[in-house]
Structure formats: structure tokens, C-alpha cells
Amino acid sequence: MTQTDTSALMEITSRPPIVFTEGNGSWLTDSAGKTYLDFVQGWAVNCLGHSPKPIVDALAKQAARLINCSPAFYNEPMARLASLITQASGLDQVFFTNSDAEANEGAIKLARKWGALHRAGAFEIVTMDHGFHGRTLATMSASGKAGWDKLFEPKVPGFPKVPLNDLAAVERAIGPRTAAVMLEPIQGEAGVFEASDAFLRDLRALTKRRGILLILDEIQTGMGRTGRFFGFEHAGIAPDVMTLGKGLGGGVPLAALVAKREVMCFAHGDQGGTFNGNPLMTAAGCAVMVEIGRPGFLAQVAETGAYLAERLTQLSRVHGGGVRGRGLLLALDLKRPIGPQLVERARDRGLLINAPRPDCLRFMPSLNVSRAEIDQMIAILDRVMTEVVAPAMAK
Ligand SMILES: Cc1ncc(COP(=O)(O)O)c(C=O)c1O
């Protein structure tokens, strides 16, 4: 019997009374046997879909061999995954973490240590309004999410905020206490707002000129999500430090702090953790890297993303709104706060989508989602939008 009594769990968010029991590709099945087309995929985590064979095989093989030794020792998948990431990114060294926020926390610590050593104790990190970097105390302080400035006071100091794509504001915010600038190439949680390629290029030049670090949070945009391996490739730049997560483990908890050799200044004991670089998780990460690195995979993501954008644009012509984003990280701008209603109705009809803010929907399907599945999603959404939008417009 499936356990469907959820009362022993802490109520940390509003969840529908559904318990999922199985997943396959773009599809989830709940305990009652109802199937759902999943365009959330664990918040862009299941980059190859639910229970894909390469990850299932990698986990089974690794579990039978070695699940855990200790972070005090090297293990083989940990070393292999670090090499694969450095080869793909052009950066030099990796520290694995269990959560995305922990990777960003590590980036913040690295920048502060670097500032202490190389910029006379500089510790400030300029971050962006509406940015999202996680839910630890430091990453919440680094985030520019509305309403968070008053939560869990006092905040960790040292994160002056500027508007995204405003180079002059960044320039004004940089002072002797500044160690780094940190941002997402596309602000996902904020509702899919892109840092322009020109802004990223100018920011790279500015940070170099002022002798400070550029940290990119590629947790949502990395691992092929935008049609390139990493979001920064579109702008033709390279950061000093980057964080990866979500798709990196293909569904298992795995994230990474990645840095250029010359900025890696952790001394023994500065950074670590019991589960960091666990062989089971990193074996899954290796399988993901191999699949994304296959010839044609990223081109396919870009093509599928263009198709999804085109279908969403058609939908917005009928129901109003607009489309933004890149690759398979797209948002439908609804221009009115009907997102939560659409999410609920779509779920009733067997479609999972996400509204990161009330006036938009975000689409983060698996990177190998098919055109037929996109068509199915659009058909359900069209019906749901007709039900919700048409009466609202008639008022
Ligand atoms: C860009 C970015 N950074 C960091 C995080 C924090 O991730 P987690 O909650 O998995 O630690 C998220 C989560 O959505 C994210 O989108």
C-alpha cells in the first residue's frame, strides 16, 4: 500500500494532495494511477527526464560497487566528474556539494577568502535585484527576492544590490570593500529575465578592470538548459567562479562550485562536508555529462527550445502576453496575475507547469522532451487559458 498520509511532514509550502509514485521520461504517475505531463521536472533538475536509463544504470552500478567512503578520501566518480566539468567549462577546479544553495554559499566563502588575501579584506559581493541564490542565510542575503529583506533578521551583511542589466549601477556599487559581482545569466526564479549578452560582456570587462571576481550562478542555466553547455557561452565570456546544480545530478542531489585555479584559495579546513563528492551522486553526474556531451545533444536542445518558444508565441497571440527566455528555460508572460489559477487547472487536466510569480508561467521540461509532448502541453494549456482568460476578458 502506498503511504498517502502526509501529516508527519513539516508544512513548509502549500502542496496539492497528490503523492507521486512513478516517473518515466516526461511523465509522472500518482498513487491513484493518474498520469501527468511534467514541464517542471523537479524545477529543471531532471534534465534527461524521469528515471532515464543512463542514470538508473549509473546509480545501480555504482551502488553495487561503492556508495560512500568519506570526503577524507578521493573516489573515482568524484575525480572523473570534476575532470568532465573542467574540460567542458574551461575552468580548473571543482568542489562538490549536496545542494545548490551550498554551492553558492561556497562561492561566497571563496570570494570572501580571496578578498581577504588579495584585496585588503574586501568582502562585499554586488548582487542583482530579484536574483535568487538559495535559502541558507548567506544565499538569502545575496538574493534580491521581494519580501526576503525582512526575513530571518539580521541578514548576513555585504550584498549591495543593483538592477540587472544596469552596468552604471554596478560600477557605482563597486568600492574598496568589493570582492566580486555575482549573478544568474538568466534570473529563473524571478520569472525568467535574461542578463543581456552585452551586459555580461561589459560586466566581465568591468570586473577585470577593477580587479574583482565575476561569479556566475549557473545553477538553472547550466548543464545544457539554454542550448549551450553553460549560459555564459552565449556571451562569449568566462567567469572566475561558477556554480552548477539542478541538472548536474539528473535528479539526485548534486551541485558544484567551480573556479579558476588562480582564485582557488581555500586552505585545508575552510570548506568541506560529510556528503561532499559522494560517489553515488557523482556517478549520476558523470552519466549526465556524457549524455549532454553527445554530438548533437545541445543543438537539439536549442531546436526544441525554438519550437517551444514558437508554440508559446502562437498561444500568446490568441490569449495575450509574450514569451521570454532561452533554450528550454522559457516563460510565458501572462500580463495579469492568473498564473496560480492556470497551474491548478492544468494540474487537474494532467499537466504540471510552474508560476514563479503570479503573472507568468515557467517551462522547464526535460532537455530531451519531444515535439509531440510540447504539442500535448500546448493543447492542454490552450484549453485551460481559454477557460480562465476568456471570462476575465469579458468582464
Ligand atoms: C539560480 C539558482 N541558484 C540557487 C538556487 C538554490 O537552489 P536549492 O534550493 O536547490 O539549494 C536556485 C533554485 O531554484 C536557483 O534557481
Side-chain angles (χ1 to χ4, degrees), residues 20-88:
F20 285 114
T21 51
E22 269 174 63
N24 182 8
S26 288
W27 295 89
L28 273 171
T29 307
D30 71 12
S31 56
K34 180 173 170 179
T35 56
Y36 299 78
L37 180 57
D38 188 2
F39 269 64
V40 179
Q41 289 286 1
W43 278 323
V45 165
N46 311 319
C47 57
L48 305 176
H50 289 283
S51 296
K53 189 165 172 8
I55 295 185
V56 171
D57 289 351
L59 286 171
K61 211 164 135 194
Q62 189 59 40
R65 221 167 160 218
L66 174 67
I67 292 180
N68 186 35
C69 45
S70 145
F73 304 108
Y74 296 119
N75 68 67
E76 199 271 330
M78 163 209 252
R80 190 152 76 91
L81 182 55
S83 296
L84 289 169
I85 291 172
T86 56
Q87 280 158 25

Side-chain angles (χ1 to χ4, degrees), residues 319-360:
H319 300 290
V323 179
R324 54 177 185 255
R326 206 164 217 173
L328 283 169
L329 177 56
L330 295 174
L332 183 62
D333 184 354
L334 301 164
K335 309 277 186 213
R336 61 218 123 160
I338 54 172
Q341 214 182 333
L342 293 176
V343 167
E344 209 168 300
R345 288 201 183 207
R347 193 174 60 236
D348 290 344
R349 290 181 181 271
L351 169 67
L352 302 180
I353 42 175
N354 160 258
R357 47 191 274 171
D359 64 355
C360 86

Side-chain angles (χ1 to χ4, degrees), residues 249-328:
V252 304
L254 177 67
L257 164 64
V258 191
K260 285 187 178 163
R261 191 179 310 276
E262 58 267 29
V263 307
M264 206 318 271
C265 53
F266 282 143
H268 289 183
D270 284 351
Q271 187 64 319
T274 306
F275 295 118
N276 298 124
N278 172 286
L280 194 60
M281 302 305 130
T282 48
C286 289
V288 170
M289 288 295 296
V290 168
E291 292 306 312
I292 293 181
R294 285 197 194 285
F297 186 96
L298 290 168
Q300 182 70 47
V301 174
E303 268 174 40
T304 312
Y307 182 69
L308 176 57
E310 183 193 313
R311 295 300 325 263
L312 289 172
T313 304
Q314 286 165 0
L315 208 59
S316 70
R317 278 199 204 107
V318 178
H319 300 290
V323 179
R324 54 177 185 255
R326 206 164 217 173
L328 283 169

